[in-house]
Amino acid sequence: MPKRPASSPSTPRKKSKRPPDQPSLDSFFKSPRDTPTPTRKRQTPQLRDAHAPEPPPAASQLSPPEIIDVDLLDDSDIDTRPIIPSSSSISQGPRISDDETPRIFSAGVQPHPPKYPSLSEDPTTFLLDSCFWTPNTPTPYSFLAHTLTTVSETRSRIAIINTLTNALRQILRFHPKSLLPSLYLLSNSLSPPYSPIELGLGPSIISKAIQHVSGLTPAALKRLYNQTGDPGDVAFEAKSSVRTLVPHPPLLTCSVYDALLKIAHAKGQGAVKQKQSIVEKLLVAAKGEEIRFLVRTLSQHIRVGAVRTSILTALARALVLTPPNSDISAPSDSPYRISEHILSQIQALPAGSSKKVVDEAKEKLVATFAAAEGLIKKVFVQHPNYDHIVAALLEAGLDGLTARVPLTVGIPLHPTLGSPMRSLDEVYERIDNQPFVAEFKYDGQRAQIHAFKDKDGKVSTRLFSRHLEDMTDKYPDVTSLVEHMFASSQGLESFIMDAEVVAVDPSDGSLRSFQELSNRPRKEVQVHEIKVSVCVFAFDLMYHNRQASITLQHRRTLLRSDFPPVDLKQPGSARFEHVESCHSEDGKETVEEFWLRAVDSRCEGLMIKLLDHGVVVESSASRDKSRKKPLPATYEPDRRTSAWLKLKKDYVIGLGDTLDLVPVGAWHGNGRKAQWWSPVLLALRDPDTGQLVAMCKCMSGFSDAFYKAMKEVYAEDSENCSRQALWEDVDTGGYSPSVYFRPHEVWEIRGADVTLSPVSIAARGLVSDSRGLSLRFPRFIKTREDKSIEQASSPEFLANIFRDQQGKGKHETAGADDGQLVDVELSQSDDVEDDDSDGGELT
């Protein structure tokens, strides 16, 4: 702990002894556990007004506040001693004891950040006539912080999109080059998901930086964290009393983004010190809300409701209202062009204009917005790279976007998703006798394989997971397999293939479990080190020899003709097979037999896919009506399409689908489970707000080994588990768990049915105005390591299951999950998995 200067040279102070086993911080901020660094003598630059009179001798009896400008010091010259401020410098924040006084960098007054107008108003009436900063200069970071603050203060999707739209319009008008870093910072990322740039900032680096800038002790930081539960709030409060000698230039969005890149690229010896130095300089220059969101960005958790869909929607609307380049003239018939005349009709009612004219203008604007949003989202899901998209938009506008940002080998597209079905009868009812193919749904890891051969004959291969992470290093055997494909095929130039990588027995190719596959190392795997053999089961071909295929029928034909099965029969080599399948033309009995084979195998079930363009029957909001919806047989990135239906054996009896839920809390177990967490509180994720909403308790399906592992991951009073609700992105509704979990993993859950609940608020308003939905007799299936919490099931998904359930004649069980689930004692051995009888009792 750094020493404090004596309050008076004549009055010795007692040294406080540090306890021998001082506990480390068990949440975000951690106490340094290393031995204290010896204090070095140095000369601190004495900076003062040259015309100021010398202080009278009597004043020298007290130690004056030390004045430091960190920008004038080298990293090695930064002093870590806290400074005693004058009484006037203490803000009206949380009270801090005298031995935890904040650092003072200046005796002057810290300039306040600029004031910005409201950004949440209708974009059609938002005025861009005056710039909030000097035109043609980079956007201030304070403007981005103001945007994030506005977004974080509302749950209204309209207000969020309006705020983001107006902010992006302002940036497009006055400094378009700030658009790219702004989009990355708003989306809480620094790069595309397939080439992630890792900040590499542990909590200790951020904690030490806040300590040094504020002068607070680790104990004081821990108290602040326990009060606020958020690193950004801690930094905001800790720096509330800190001032700088000379007003620092305002932080710029571009410079903050560049500083984050420098942090990420700092490697080798001295990297930790270099990262901490950059963080400290950012914190010293930050003012007001900049501090809060800067630290949240450094912690990779900005805690706002601006999800990807909202950002893309706002970007599209901003481009319609404020084209980035006045030199770009959109064609008069462009679907993305809105005339000033139409905007003027909407903005004001000219004398004599009728309501009909204004309504027609609004309809035109809505149609233009929809066209632009559809374009931006379509391009992004097949080419998720803001660098390329922004460059194309600034160069050619919306009309030139598709040509400049096409589907590209080496850049993963978001995968197509299937809609759940409950039975084969329901599948036939939905498809309405249209030709389809049924494929085994393997229990492995979904892989998107990109490969091409350059003019020199060199083959480049990339593998991406379902959430677009590059996992090429994990599967060198698959890379070798792809090279063999190119070597054995004369006409093969490039392809993008959708497949499932499954663990297999190397001797006979029989399927192994997903758990065995998960035992493979994740990075820098060498072929000779491979102990778990795999087979690549291909089921789709999205791109082939520089052409994108259209219908599934055509794609399957190319896949089978140009990619024959491969079995190299070499140690450490991967196999290649097509998914096992059967066609509807073979007859319903054949399809039923095929389904029974899937049930008896290690597969998860079946995928049912339309072979050509057609229509499907969908239930409407009314139970008495249905509608036919046209569906293309094209590959639909990032869409849960009804042209792909999934039938999983784990939930044919019961729900039509499993749910992907996030554990957010738990209660102490009873009896044999007293030392474990049981039951566990599970939550859905609302994609519109980014918030997790608790919906049910689960205490079934867990083995004792899993209970023990869960108690280690969620150790009480650790960074993953707290007695206080520290994570504000979670709404527990009527549930009051004993402890709260940090949301960071997804569990697959199956239940008997969905029921109305007076406790759960999940999906409230979607099927009932007064009650939410919950799951009866939920059972844990497995941890979804291939999914992030952003991919958890949504309230709308749960509501659709409930509607389908009601349409099939199941009775509502209102209040079945009343929140009074009691953990019952079991008489099982320690190694036996809990069965469905361990569902608890309803009191």
Side-chain angles (χ1 to χ4, degrees):
M1 183 179 296
K3 294 183 179 179
R4 180 170 302 281
S7 59
S8 172
S10 60
T11 306
R13 293 183 60 182
K14 294 182 180 180
K15 294 184 178 179
S16 58
K17 294 183 179 181
R18 180 178 177 177
D21 296 320
Q22 179 175 344
S24 60
L25 289 182
D26 44 27
S27 53
F28 180 82
F29 296 99
K30 300 192 177 184
S31 302
R33 290 175 288 183
D34 301 332
T35 56
T37 304
T39 306
R40 296 184 302 163
K41 288 187 177 181
R42 66 171 182 84
Q43 290 185 347
T44 304
Q46 298 298 318
L47 305 177
R48 64 179 181 83
D49 188 347
H51 300 284
E54 292 291 337
S60 63
Q61 296 179 0
L62 296 176
S63 299
E66 184 178 7
I67 302 173
I68 299 175
D69 185 354
V70 294
D71 287 343
L72 300 180
L73 305 179
D74 295 331
D75 293 338
S76 59
D77 291 332
I78 297 178
D79 193 1
T80 58
R81 294 177 297 157
I83 309 302
I84 301 177
S86 61
S87 59
S88 61
S89 66
I90 302 296
S91 68
Q92 298 300 316
R95 293 191 176 274
I96 304 172
S97 60
D98 292 338
D99 61 340
E100 296 158 357
T101 311
R103 169 174 294 278
I104 297 297
F105 286 99
S106 170
V109 178
Q110 177 80 347
H112 293 288
K115 299 293 185 181
Y116 297 107
S118 172
L119 295 173
S120 58
E121 66 176 85
D122 190 331
T124 59
T125 59
F126 183 76
L127 298 179
L128 293 178
D129 295 338
S130 59
C131 183
F132 305 145
W133 62 89
T134 305
N136 299 320
T137 60
T139 303
Y141 183 67
S142 58
F143 179 70
L144 202 67
H146 172 66
T147 303
L148 290 169
T149 301
T150 306
V151 170
S152 65
E153 291 174 348
T154 180
R155 294 186 181 180
S156 167
R157 187 170 184 268
I158 294 177
I160 289 173
I161 292 178
N162 287 349
T163 299
L164 294 172
T165 301
N166 291 328
L168 295 178
R169 289 183 64 203
Q170 192 77 17
I171 294 171
L172 283 167
R173 170 67 66 85
F174 296 106
H175 197 259
K177 291 183 179 179
S178 294
L179 180 62
L180 179 62
S182 298
L183 288 174
Y184 275 127
L185 293 176
L186 286 171
S187 61
N188 199 27
S189 61
L190 298 177
S191 64
Y194 56 88
S195 59
I197 296 178
E198 301 289 344
L199 276 177
L201 280 177
S204 61
I205 295 179
I206 303 176
S207 172
K208 289 176 182 177
I210 297 174
Q211 271 184 253
H212 179 251
V213 170
S214 66
L216 294 182
T217 63
L221 288 179
K222 181 179 180 180
R223 282 198 293 273
L224 282 176
Y225 186 74
N226 289 338
Q227 293 172 11
T228 65
D230 174 71
D233 295 340
V234 171
F236 182 86
E237 296 294 346
K239 204 193 167 206
S240 60
S241 320
V242 177
R243 300 180 180 125
T244 53
L245 174 68
V246 178
H248 285 260
L251 286 175
L252 305 176
T253 298
C254 296
S255 62
V256 170
Y257 180 73
D258 291 340
L260 297 179
L261 293 180
K262 289 181 181 179
I263 292 173
H265 293 147
K267 306 294 181 184
Q269 188 175 5
V272 173
K273 184 177 180 181
Q274 182 182 355
K275 291 180 179 183
Q276 183 174 332
S277 174
I278 297 173
V279 173
E280 288 176 2
K281 289 180 182 290
L282 290 172
L283 288 175
V284 169
K287 309 175 185 70
E289 290 297 323
E290 294 178 328
I291 304 167
R292 197 187 312 272
F293 286 101
L294 178 63
V295 172
R296 288 178 181 176
T297 298
L298 294 170
S299 307
Q300 293 292 280
H301 186 46
I302 58 175
R303 295 173 58 194
V304 297
V307 293
R308 186 191 78 206
T309 302
S310 299
I311 292 175
L312 294 177
T313 299
L315 177 61
R317 296 183 180 186
L319 289 163
V320 169
L321 297 172
T322 310
N325 191 338
S326 58
D327 297 333
I328 302 175
S329 56
S332 58
D333 59 346
S334 169
Y336 319 116
R337 181 178 179 272
I338 194 75
S339 68
E340 292 293 336
H341 175 66
I342 292 178
L343 286 178
S344 64
Q345 291 178 329
I346 297 173
Q347 292 169 353
L349 293 175
S353 64
S354 64
K355 184 177 184 297
K356 179 180 178 181
V357 172
V358 176
D359 289 342
E360 290 176 352
K362 288 183 178 179
E363 290 178 2
K364 172 64 175 177
L365 179 63
V366 169
T368 306
F369 277 166
E373 292 164 18
L375 172 68
I376 290 283
K377 293 175 182 177
K378 179 180 178 181
V379 170
F380 185 86
V381 296
Q382 73 175 13
H383 196 119
N385 186 310
Y386 279 130
D387 298 72
H388 300 167
I389 292 174
V390 169
L393 289 171
L394 297 182
E395 180 182 348
L398 287 166
D399 290 278
L401 182 60
T402 302
R404 285 171 169 77
V405 190
L407 178 66
T408 305
V409 177
I411 296 180
L413 58 157
H414 288 259
T416 297
L417 305 174
S419 299
M421 292 286 107
R422 186 178 290 108
S423 66
L424 275 177
D425 290 337
E426 187 177 4
V427 169
Y428 275 98
E429 179 183 347
R430 175 70 66 91
I431 290 181
D432 195 20
N433 295 321
Q434 296 175 94
F436 67 81
V437 61
E439 301 173 343
F440 274 179
K441 188 179 190 305
Y442 295 96
D443 188 14
Q445 183 172 18
R446 192 166 181 176
Q448 195 176 119
I449 305 174
H450 292 235
F452 71 92
K453 182 169 60 175
D454 61 21
K455 59 181 180 180
D456 298 326
K458 181 181 178 181
V459 177
S460 298
T461 306
R462 275 290 186 256
L463 276 75
F464 302 99
S465 68
R466 65 173 293 158
H467 44 285
L468 312 188
E469 291 181 354
D470 192 330
M471 57 180 187
T472 308
D473 290 346
K474 182 179 180 179
Y475 295 107
D477 44 350
V478 176
T479 301
S480 299
L481 173 68
V482 172
E483 292 174 353
H484 173 79
M485 291 178 176
F486 277 91
S488 58
S489 176
Q490 298 296 325
L492 187 59
E493 299 177 4
S494 59
F495 68 82
I496 300 177
M497 183 183 296
D498 210 348
E500 194 84 6
V501 178
V502 184
V504 297
D505 189 314
S507 60
D508 58 9
S510 59
L511 304 181
R512 297 300 188 189
S513 66
F514 175 79
Q515 284 70 25
E516 292 187 50
L517 180 67
S518 64
N519 290 332
R520 282 180 61 125
R522 295 173 180 259
K523 295 182 179 180
E524 299 179 358
V525 180
Q526 302 298 321
V527 173
H528 65 274
E529 298 174 347
I530 294 175
K531 297 181 180 179
V532 180
S533 299
V534 299
C535 180
V536 176
F537 289 96
F539 56 81
D540 214 325
L541 189 67
M542 297 88 82
Y543 187 86
H544 180 251
N545 287 352
R546 303 181 183 180
Q547 292 185 350
S549 302
I550 304 301
T551 66
L552 177 62
Q553 183 76 281
H554 185 220
R555 300 198 303 270
R556 283 173 52 84
T557 300
L558 286 175
L559 182 62
R560 279 157 173 73
S561 62
D562 287 19
F563 298 89
V566 176
D567 184 3
L568 300 178
K569 298 185 182 301
Q570 298 174 357
S573 63
R575 302 184 180 207
F576 179 81
E577 294 283 353
H578 305 119
V579 294
E580 192 167 352
S581 61
C582 76
H583 288 73
S584 58
E585 298 173 353
D586 298 332
K588 189 172 182 179
E589 291 185 359
T590 302
V591 175
E592 289 177 348
E593 291 177 1
F594 188 68
W595 159 246
L596 293 176
R597 282 181 54 204
V599 171
D600 294 335
S601 71
R602 286 185 177 269
C603 295
E604 291 184 325
L606 296 182
M607 291 297 300
I608 313 293
K609 303 175 182 178
L610 289 182
L611 289 169
D612 211 334
H613 303 306
V615 294
V616 294
V617 178
E618 289 190 340
S619 299
S620 64
S622 173
R623 300 178 185 177
D624 300 329
K625 295 182 180 180
S626 61
R627 61 176 181 174
K628 289 189 175 183
K629 179 181 179 181
L631 281 180
T634 51
Y635 194 89
E636 299 292 321
D638 203 34
R639 289 187 61 186
R640 190 174 293 277
T641 171
S642 291
W644 285 23
L645 308 175
K646 60 180 178 179
L647 186 64
K648 295 177 69 175
K649 63 183 181 182
D650 283 339
Y651 51 79
V652 169
I653 300 175
L655 288 182
D657 196 6
T658 53
L659 292 163
D660 295 322
L661 305 179
V662 180
V664 295
W667 288 261
H668 294 280
N670 296 320
R672 189 179 64 86
K673 300 182 185 178
Q675 72 273 29
W676 299 326
W677 299 127
S678 181
V680 178
L681 183 62
L682 302 173
L684 299 163
R685 182 178 183 274
D686 189 336
D688 292 335
T689 64
Q691 190 173 45
L692 296 169
V693 184
M695 64 160 289
C696 69
K697 302 175 183 180
C698 179
M699 54 191 298
S700 180
F702 302 119
S703 65
D704 285 7
F706 186 87
Y707 273 127
K708 294 174 183 177
M710 178 170 59
K711 194 60 184 287
E712 292 178 1
V713 173
Y714 297 102
E716 195 163 0
D717 292 331
S718 70
E719 64 179 6
N720 289 332
C721 179
S722 172
R723 298 180 185 181
Q724 300 177 2
L726 301 181
W727 298 278
E728 295 183 1
D729 288 344
V730 179
D731 189 347
T732 56
Y735 298 101
S736 299
S738 302
V739 292
Y740 297 85
F741 290 171
R742 178 178 72 88
H744 70 284
E745 63 178 347
V746 178
W747 293 355
E748 184 176 359
I749 303 295
R750 177 167 63 94
D753 51 31
V754 179
T755 176
L756 290 170
S757 169
V759 180
S760 170
I761 61 171
R764 180 184 291 176
L766 296 181
V767 296
S768 170
D769 293 334
S770 60
R771 294 189 176 190
L773 296 178
S774 187
L775 193 61
R776 239 173 25 104
F777 303 115
R779 178 180 176 84
F780 172 82
I781 303 299
K782 64 182 178 182
T783 300
R784 293 302 302 265
E785 297 180 354
D786 60 330
K787 285 194 174 185
S788 63
I789 60 173
E790 286 77 15
Q791 295 171 307
S793 297
S794 67
E796 182 63 37
F797 182 67
L798 181 67
N800 286 336
I801 294 177
F802 181 81
R803 297 186 189 106
D804 290 343
Q805 174 182 292
Q806 301 308 307
K808 294 298 179 182
K810 288 203 171 188
H811 299 291
E812 298 181 6
T813 316
D817 178 22
D818 60 0
Q820 301 298 320
L821 193 63
V822 178
D823 198 358
V824 296
E825 175 105 20
L826 297 178
S827 58
Q828 294 177 311
S829 65
D830 288 347
D831 297 328
V832 178
E833 185 182 27
D834 298 347
D835 60 24
D836 286 333
S837 64
D838 184 23
E841 296 177 351
L842 297 171
T843 59

